[in-house]
Structure formats: C-alpha cells, structure tokens
Amino acid sequence: MAMSSQFSLSLLELSKLVLFGSLVNATGHGLVRLLRQIETSGSDFITEQDLAEVFGRNRVEPLFASTFRTAVKQSLIHEISGIAELVIEGGAGPTVRRSLNEPGYFAMVVQLSLLTFVTHDLSGLTRSINKSLEQRAQAAAEYVAPPRYDNLMGALRAIREQTCGFMWELVISAVESKLYPSILWTDGTLYTRRTIPQNILQGLMDSFTAMQHLPENTRLRIRSCYGVPTIIVWAHHILGLTVHVDMDNNNDESISLGEGSPTVFISATTMSDSTNIALLNETDDLLFHVAEESQNITLGPIYRHPVKDYGTRILRLQNDDLERERAMVSAIVASCIGIVRQRSDARRSKSLFAGNESSLPSVQRIISVSRMVFASNADVIEALDPASKLLCAVLQLPEYSDYTWSSHYDRIMDTCEVLRHVIFVLSMAQGVVDELNLGINAHDNNIHQFPCPLLDARTAFTSLASLLVSSNARSASVYKVDDSTSVVSAWGRCLCLGSVTSHDPSDATAELSFIRGVPARGGERKRYITDGVKSLRGEVNALRNTQDSFVSIAAQPGEKCSLESWTSPRKSRYFVGTTEFSFEVSKVIACAPRALAPIGQLP
C-alpha cells in the first residue's frame, strides 16, 4: 500500500470535526449507567468511540438520515408471560439511542449497519475493519492500538441487531436493477457481488471523509468486480456523493447517480481482476492508492432475502424462464392447498390423521403466506380455486421437452419441494411479515430431513430456526438448536416456541412466532433461551435447606416430570441462569410431600 503520510494525517485531523457532546456531559452515575448499558447489550463503549472517530467524520445525506432514523428509532419490549425478568428487546438499544442525539455516532451506525447487512459472517468483516484500523494506526504520528477483535465483533453485532428495522434490501436491489437491468441471475453471483474487498474498504474509510470536506480538490477512482452495488449505496444514498459507473460489458454502458459533476468513478469489471482504489487531487495527482494484497481478507456474502418474493428469488436461481416460473408457483401452491384439504377430510372422517391438529394451517393461511412468498406472481395464486377438486396433494410440474429443463428436472423438483416445505412452516408461525429476512439456501441439506407437510411444532421450529439464523445450514449448527431450545435469535429477530413458560417445557406447543428483538434480562442480551438448566441444582439445594418442603425441577431438557405422588404445589418460581450465548430457564416447584421424603439429591 502506497500512502502519503502527510495526507493521511490530514485525514485523521478531520476527526476533530466530530464533537461528542453528550459524552462530555455524561459524568458520574450517568456515565457509569451508559457504560453498563452498552456493555450488557453485547457492545463495547471504547470500541464504539474508536469506530465513531473514523466513520463519524462523514455526513449522512439529510433525507436518507431522516428515513433511517424513522425506521430504527423505536424501542420495543415484548414480555415473556410468566417470567417477568426475561423479555424480548427490539429496535433501538443503547447504541442506537445514543446515536440519535449525536451526529457522529449516528453516521457511524448508519454506515456500519449497511456493512453488517451485506456480510453474512461478521468475523470476516471484523477482521477486515480491524486490519484497516491497524494500518491507519501505523500511519499515524502516534500509534494507538485498534479495538480488540471480540469487542469489535460485539459492536458490529449490536448495530446489526438494533438497526434491523431498516430495509437495506430494497435500497440495494434498486441499485442492482439499474446496474444489471437485463440480467436474470440464476446463481449466487448477485450476492457475491455485494461484498466489498478488504483493500477497497480500507481506502473508503478515509477517502469518503476527504471527498465530503474537500469536494473541489479530490476524485476517487475504484476498479472492482465486487462490492459495486454496496459502494454506490454507501457513497450516493448515504453520503450524497455523485457517482459515475462504467460497466465493463458488451455495451460499455455508463450510469450516473446524483446531481452535479461526479466525484466517485467506478469501473465495474465483469471478471475477478485485481481490485484497487485511488484518491486523486484536482490535477489527477495521486494522493494515495490501495492495491489488492495477496492475503486480502475475503468477506462472505449474505445469501438472504425478505419473505416478500422469497420463493420467487429461489426459483430464479434455478430457472430463467418466467413462464415456467409461473407454472411452478401454481403447482407448489396448488399442492399445498391439496394437502390441507386432504388432511382436513381425514380429520373429519377421524381416520388417517396423525399429529397435532392445531398445527395444521388453514387454506386461507396457506394462500396468505403464498402471496408474500411469491409476491411477483400473486395473480397466479389468485387464479387458483381452493374449492376445486382438481387440486391434489401431489406436486405436479409441467413437462417440457427441451434439454435444459429435462437435465435439471430433479434439481428443480427438489427446489419446489423446498418451497412447499417453507410455505407450510411459515404458515404455522405468527409474525411473518414482508421484511423478515431468511436464508435462501439454509435448507439445501435439509429437504429430506423435513418432509412436507410439517405437523410437528418442534420440527417446524428447528426448520425455521435454520432459515432465520443463517444463509448456510452448516452455520446454523453453532446455535445448537435442540429439544431444549425455546427461543433463538439472529439478525435482530427472535423465533419463539411457546413452551418456555409451560409446566413441562419438553411438551412443545404449536405457538410459533417471529418477534423483532433479542432475548434480554436487565439489559443483558443473549442469542437464545433454553428450557431447563443443570447448573442451577446448587441453587435448588439451597432453597431446600431454607424451606420445610420438597423441591423439584420440572422439566429438565428432554425429561417429563410427574408430580402424582405429591400434593398440589405450594409455590412455583423460575430460576434463570446464563451462559455465554443463552439464558437457561428452569421452573422450580416447591411441594409438600405426602410422606416423609429424604432431602438430598434431586430426583
């Protein structure tokens, strides 16, 4: 990397333009409270300060700032019935609330919210930002160590969770439609093109600041195959800069966004050539240049899509014919309706029905979810007659004679089976909204594990958790969703199974719901809630020693507890334990024994 030390230092001086007034005014108990709130939310106060000193120097375009602020400013609290100390906290947490009153912090939150949205694995983004901050520190007159990796990761995760109310997908998709208007993507290339290479990210961290404060004296030139849509959203939509893009395609098209003369010039290559970024002055003299390194950090793309047109996007990753797409939508929804009707008939005849009746979605619910999943093909769904006897439970796709269709028929059939499965599990859950983001290939390895239809709430919960947590089924394993899990959180949303407050949490009820937020207790946030906790046995034994009663834990994970030999419970209470990633809940019941029982080990 070639960089003028004099120029880089002048960029660092621009940080003085950001004044953190509320920090100066927050003293004593107020400052301690702020520090504690940020820490318990999973972030780190000093790390946020370091990030604001870099990203907070930029000015957010006023109209975009107003739109973003409206989308993220609301704080939501959803109480978990029966466990007053556990809640689902959604929307603005301490990091976002603080940013609403401080322009520098607000600019930092907006820009990092975008970067965390387009990056699937925060570890790669964390390493990339950490490396960029390290190189900036080495170029400074006085070296200041960058934030620790785990603190930086926590800050990025907190920003992602607290700003999930903003629909970045709509903004990025609008840019992509201008860049690639005639391309119907049939693979994952569209998603990989959103991630910004590490060397480009490093250059942007200082270049945008220089261009906003020295607009007449600077020009930015970028050459890259990757990250172009994200760079445009960052430069033009967020910061209000005018961008000119040269498309390296057969037509050599050019696109300009913004008013006035462009200051950001992007060469969007079609091949994975070397990437570079250069900042020039008004006479095109090089101020600094960041080239691609042999050990450039790769940021994993995010393969996710909102529920609105979720199914349409998946079909277009497998098929480029819109007529066939409509035929597949018709076949998928028709077979879902046929299954519900078949099961309903069996229930009325009291035969051939197995499973929890309350888990069977209605035809109206199937149609409602299908309208969201296939929003672009809503007219196809409207044309179906739910009462028609021609609708059957068997998935029947039309036959085509061309080689492309026949050679991929099995793969296309698997995709349709997956989408039929998705419609059923989404129909079993409440809180399914257009903006709910799900992984688009998290189910690739699960189609044979989850037959359609799903009538078991626990199996549906596991499947939906895989879709919520990740864009890759293997990544979902880090959440360890098992029979004891009642709430799992990712990307600022919770999937809840209505068993955490039941008498026996191992008896799952079909109360699946998506709630915006993260499990929290006294401001502390975790990834999930589990039923039962062995680590609380010591607390239960202590309770025994202070009461003339027999104490039992109801429902350890996977167990069912019978109280037939005991009288009615005198009292019940919850013990909530914490691990690195979860809250663990046990319902403890104190009973009076019918006969003298030894007080020692738990039964």
Side-chain angles (χ1 to χ4, degrees), residues 337-354 357 360-364 386-387 389:
I337 296 173
I339 289 171
V340 173
R341 285 177 48 192
Q342 182 186 71
R343 295 291 174 135
S344 297
D345 292 341
R347 179 169 56 188
R348 282 193 294 268
S349 64
K350 297 182 180 180
S351 63
L352 301 178
F353 183 81
E357 293 189 16
L360 183 66
S362 66
V363 170
Q364 290 74 19
K389 294 183 179 180

Side-chain angles (χ1 to χ4, degrees), residues 236 240-243 256-263:
H236 174 63
L241 301 174
T242 300
V243 179
S256 292
L257 298 96
E259 300 178 355
S261 300
T263 54

Side-chain angles (χ1 to χ4, degrees), residues 363-375:
V363 170
Q364 290 74 19
R365 180 61 178 164
I366 291 289
I367 293 175
S368 175
V369 170
S370 298
R371 288 194 188 111
M372 287 190 282
V373 173
F374 300 113

Side-chain angles (χ1 to χ4, degrees), residues 208-389:
F208 283 152
T209 304
M211 298 182 67
Q212 281 197 321
H213 293 281
L214 304 169
E216 303 298 328
N217 306 105
T218 52
R219 304 286 184 274
L220 184 64
R221 295 192 178 276
I222 302 169
R223 177 178 176 82
S224 179
C225 173
Y226 300 106
V228 174
T230 307
I231 295 172
I232 292 174
V233 172
W234 190 353
H236 174 63
H237 290 80
I238 297 179
L239 303 182
L241 301 174
T242 300
V243 179
H244 180 84
V245 184
D246 290 319
M247 303 298 297
D248 185 10
N249 53 29
N250 295 332
N251 300 324
D252 292 330
E253 299 173 332
S254 296
I255 301 171
S256 292
L257 298 96
E259 300 178 355
S261 300
T263 54
V264 179
F265 298 86
I266 302 175
S267 177
T269 63
T270 56
M271 303 293 291
S272 300
D273 299 329
S274 60
T275 62
N276 60 78
I277 178 172
L279 187 66
L280 312 172
N281 64 13
E282 66 275 17
T283 58
D284 285 342
D285 295 325
L286 183 66
L287 297 176
F288 77 81
H289 169 262
V290 185
E292 185 175 10
E293 300 179 1
S294 58
Q295 296 182 344
N296 215 15
I297 297 174
T298 302
L299 303 183
I302 170 178
Y303 296 93
R304 296 177 70 84
H305 197 272
V307 166
K308 185 177 182 180
D309 262 333
Y310 175 88
T312 305
R313 173 57 62 90
I314 291 181
L315 289 180
R316 291 180 182 177
L317 292 175
Q318 304 285 349
N319 166 72
D320 60 358
D321 189 304
L322 295 182
E323 179 182 351
R324 293 174 186 170
E325 175 187 303
R326 292 170 65 83
M328 286 188 281
V329 170
S330 179
I332 292 168
V333 180
S335 66
C336 288
I337 296 173
I339 289 171
V340 173
R341 285 177 48 192
Q342 182 186 71
R343 295 291 174 135
S344 297
D345 292 341
R347 179 169 56 188
R348 282 193 294 268
S349 64
K350 297 182 180 180
S351 63
L352 301 178
F353 183 81
N356 187 343
E357 293 189 16
S358 63
S359 300
L360 183 66
S362 66
V363 170
Q364 290 74 19
R365 180 61 178 164
I366 291 289
I367 293 175
S368 175
V369 170
S370 298
R371 288 194 188 111
M372 287 190 282
V373 173
F374 300 113
S376 295
N377 295 281
D379 59 321
V380 176
I381 300 171
E382 296 296 337
L384 294 173
D385 180 9
S388 173
K389 294 183 179 180

Side-chain angles (χ1 to χ4, degrees), residues 15-35:
S15 64
K16 296 179 180 179
L17 295 172
V18 181
L19 301 177
F20 306 109
S22 66
L23 177 61
V24 175
N25 296 329
T27 58
H29 294 296
L31 179 58
V32 172
R33 181 183 179 188
L34 178 62
L35 289 168

